[in-house]
Amino acid sequence: MWSQKVAQRGIIVAGCLAMVYTQLTMSPATIEFARSLGATSWHVGILGALPTLMLFMQFVAAVLANHIHYRRWIWFSFTIVQRLVLIPVAAVPFFFPNLSDQWWLWLLIILTAVNHALIHFTTPLWLSWMGDYLPHQGLNRYWGIRQLWMYWSGIISLLGGAIFLAESGLDIQQGFATLIFLGGIFGIIDILIFLKVDEPPVTKMKEPKLKEVLLTPFYDKNFRSFISFTCFWHFAAMLGAPFISFYLLDHIGMDVFRLLLLWTCAWVGGAIFSNRLGHLAEHFGNRPMLILYTAFKSTNMFGLLFLPRDPIVAFWIMVPIFILDSVLNAGIAIANNGFMLKNSPAENRTMFIAAGTAVAGIVGGLTSIAAGAFLVLTTGWSMSLGWIDFNNFHIIFAASLIMRLAAAFFARTIREPDSHWTAQVVVQLVGVTPLRILRFPVGLYRSFVSDENAPPSRKEKRNRKKNSNLDEPESP
């Protein structure tokens, strides 16, 4: 087995390869592929729901984790299958040339469901393995570095996929099939790396009764507050997020090359700032960062509401919006993972991780399906207000915008005693004067003061106050 230092580098490399796999097999090109098979908004809603709807499989993994000593080979076996499960979609023209487009479309949906079910079955096993293996000191910083390299890998692979689809001369069905084959190769190599990463034994509950295993995360007040927030956030986000690519392709008229190029540009924001975002979460805590990130997550919905029906103009308008959105997505991912790994006990850790994501995922998945059904039922509806024509897409984007703003206030209910106040974070980033507030983007580049000079956290304030009271002389 590798030493931990070497293994940490290997985990980063594996993450990069996993990102290549993801971008080649589950990129926005999937939506164009589905459209070529006759997909409607409802089909797109289902495809958008599956990544979160299948999160219930994490509970299955969490129950299993309390009955095994090691996770490695179970995780390894199911992940290998997962990396290959989409191959039949690509192989249809070769083995089933007479299969109708509708059958092909539903094959894509079914195998996508199986794909995400396997992803979510193996994810908590992997995260709990990493939570037991990686040192918690500096974990957010390490996660930020890993996220940085993953984002650059996403940029390169998505850009390569866009150029391939544009220059290869293949139609979207043949081109997408090729991307799936290539993605599977990178995905398999990613998994093989973990054969050299050591694994501590699973810390199981002493008497793993099913009810107790399932409910333990919900008894923890701090973790329960996090679960409540993630449920609301997934509801707000999934009202609009699954339909962005479909809207740009179907309503704006953007071609698949520009769409992939747009998402490639989006990854740049996360790639540049992931390392810094990891330092922020490590320094200030996860709660204040989640509040700040969700406060700005409505930006992309706002841009979509007023986007002109000119593909070229729309592309250049959305580029900076997508870059900002990518920064926020990276920050939310780092803060979410940091909170779950740091606030879940070694005992029953897998169930804590499952509870932190699966419940919210189910909420988000049902929201996506309902939103897709709404788009189908309201097909053809439109209304003009001045120079802007609103349609049924704008309704769900507006609803998502409002709910995302509300989520920023809901994030304040997260309980993380050791984190800083959000106001302290803002002061550190932008200062307190109006002139410095206007210079907010510069705050992202500033170096942070050392821990000794940083504002005290809530817990430190309480301890200081308690100690000062103990030190006061008793009155005569």
Side-chain angles (χ1 to χ4, degrees):
M1 293 296 169
W2 285 328
S3 66
Q4 187 170 91
K5 187 174 182 180
V6 175
Q8 287 182 0
R9 293 173 184 167
I11 292 169
I12 292 174
V13 172
C16 295
L17 294 172
M19 182 62 77
V20 175
Y21 161 80
T22 301
Q23 295 311 304
L24 293 181
T25 60
M26 292 177 274
S27 74
T30 306
I31 303 301
E32 180 63 14
F33 176 70
R35 286 181 70 238
S36 73
L37 299 176
T40 65
S41 300
W42 185 60
H43 296 107
V44 173
I46 294 174
L47 284 170
L50 292 175
T52 55
L53 192 61
M54 302 307 292
L55 278 163
F56 76 90
M57 289 297 294
Q58 295 200 4
F59 286 117
V60 178
V63 172
L64 175 66
N66 275 288
H67 295 83
I68 57 177
H69 294 291
Y70 291 95
R71 296 149 287 206
R72 177 194 301 276
W73 290 109
I74 293 176
W75 174 83
F76 184 85
S77 302
F78 280 93
T79 308
I80 290 291
V81 174
Q82 180 266 317
R83 292 295 198 254
L84 300 174
V85 76
L86 289 175
I87 297 296
V89 175
V92 163
F94 303 101
F95 297 101
F96 305 99
N98 297 322
L99 192 68
S100 69
D101 286 352
Q102 278 298 303
W103 280 103
W104 197 356
L105 175 60
W106 281 105
L107 177 65
L108 170 67
I109 293 173
I110 292 169
L111 291 182
T112 300
V114 175
N115 178 43
H116 288 292
L118 291 172
I119 288 174
H120 295 313
F121 174 76
T122 55
T123 294
L125 295 174
W126 181 81
L127 274 176
S128 65
W129 175 3
M130 296 299 101
D132 292 342
Y133 180 71
L134 296 172
H136 283 201
Q137 184 67 33
L139 182 61
N140 282 330
R141 283 192 291 269
Y142 172 76
W143 223 251
I145 295 170
R146 182 176 182 269
Q147 200 85 353
L148 180 150
W149 287 105
M150 287 176 64
Y151 268 76
W152 281 116
S153 301
I155 290 170
I156 295 170
S157 56
L158 199 54
L159 179 61
I163 294 172
F164 170 77
L165 290 176
E167 301 296 332
S168 65
L170 302 175
D171 61 30
I172 184 62
Q173 294 180 359
Q174 297 171 325
F176 185 69
T178 304
L179 293 181
I180 288 179
F181 278 118
L182 291 174
I185 294 172
F186 283 98
I188 293 295
I189 298 172
D190 153 38
I191 305 306
L192 295 177
I193 288 176
F194 286 93
L195 291 174
K196 300 294 289 181
V197 179
D198 196 16
E199 180 199 3
V202 176
T203 304
K204 296 180 287 187
M205 298 183 69
K206 294 180 180 178
E207 296 180 3
K209 296 179 181 178
L210 181 60
K211 181 179 178 181
E212 192 173 341
V213 169
L214 290 170
L215 296 181
T216 299
F218 300 93
Y219 294 147
D220 187 308
K221 291 182 180 179
N222 294 347
F223 213 85
R224 188 169 66 237
S225 67
F226 175 75
I227 295 171
S228 300
F229 162 72
T230 55
C231 286
F232 189 88
W233 169 244
H234 273 70
F235 164 71
M238 295 299 285
L239 277 171
F243 308 98
I244 294 175
S245 294
F246 188 76
Y247 174 76
L248 294 174
L249 290 166
D250 190 64
H251 182 73
I252 301 299
M254 192 175 292
D255 59 77
V256 69
F257 173 73
R258 282 196 177 90
L259 178 65
L260 291 177
L261 195 60
L262 180 61
W263 285 102
T264 301
C265 294
W267 286 102
V268 172
I272 293 174
F273 290 106
S274 286
N275 193 16
R276 178 64 70 185
L277 295 173
H279 281 276
L280 280 169
E282 187 69 28
H283 187 79
F284 295 115
N286 301 293
R287 175 186 178 274
M289 305 320 301
L290 284 172
I291 294 172
L292 290 176
Y293 299 143
T294 53
F296 292 96
K297 270 293 289 180
S298 58
T299 308
N300 58 350
M301 294 293 109
F302 186 84
L304 290 166
L305 281 173
F306 300 101
L307 204 61
R309 295 190 69 174
D310 184 320
I312 298 176
V313 175
F315 172 83
W316 289 111
I317 290 175
M318 293 306 295
V319 163
I321 293 175
F322 269 44
I323 290 175
L324 173 61
D325 191 65
S326 173
V327 175
L328 300 173
N329 285 337
I332 290 174
I334 292 169
N336 278 340
N337 285 336
F339 186 97
M340 288 189 294
L341 294 182
K342 288 191 172 186
N343 291 275
S344 57
E347 184 182 80
N348 206 25
R349 186 188 301 278
T350 312
M351 180 55 72
F352 272 77
I353 292 170
T357 55
V359 178
I362 293 170
V363 171
L366 293 175
T367 302
S368 177
I369 293 174
F374 169 80
L375 288 174
V376 172
L377 293 174
T378 56
T379 300
W381 179 89
S382 64
M383 179 180 67
S384 296
L385 289 176
W387 56 276
I388 302 175
D389 292 327
F390 287 97
N391 59 23
N392 51 352
F393 281 99
H394 294 105
I395 293 176
I396 62 169
F397 291 154
S400 183
L401 186 154
I402 295 170
M403 291 297 101
R404 288 171 185 228
L405 291 174
F409 290 94
F410 201 101
R412 298 172 62 192
T413 63
I414 298 174
R415 299 167 62 100
E416 191 180 34
D418 292 335
S419 65
H420 287 69
W421 293 95
T422 309
Q424 293 174 326
V425 180
V426 174
V427 168
Q428 286 289 310
L429 290 177
V430 302
V432 293
T433 64
L435 179 61
R436 295 178 79 182
I437 290 175
L438 291 175
R439 292 163 51 207
F440 172 73
V442 179
L444 291 174
Y445 295 95
R446 292 179 55 188
S447 297
F448 303 107
V449 294
S450 64
D451 290 342
E452 290 79 11
N453 297 325
S457 65
R458 299 182 200 177
K459 187 174 181 180
E460 291 170 341
K461 284 184 175 181
R462 287 196 297 268
N463 291 337
R464 289 182 185 179
K465 185 176 180 181
K466 182 179 178 180
N467 292 335
S468 63
N469 291 336
L470 291 174
D471 292 341
E472 290 178 0
E474 295 182 2
S475 55

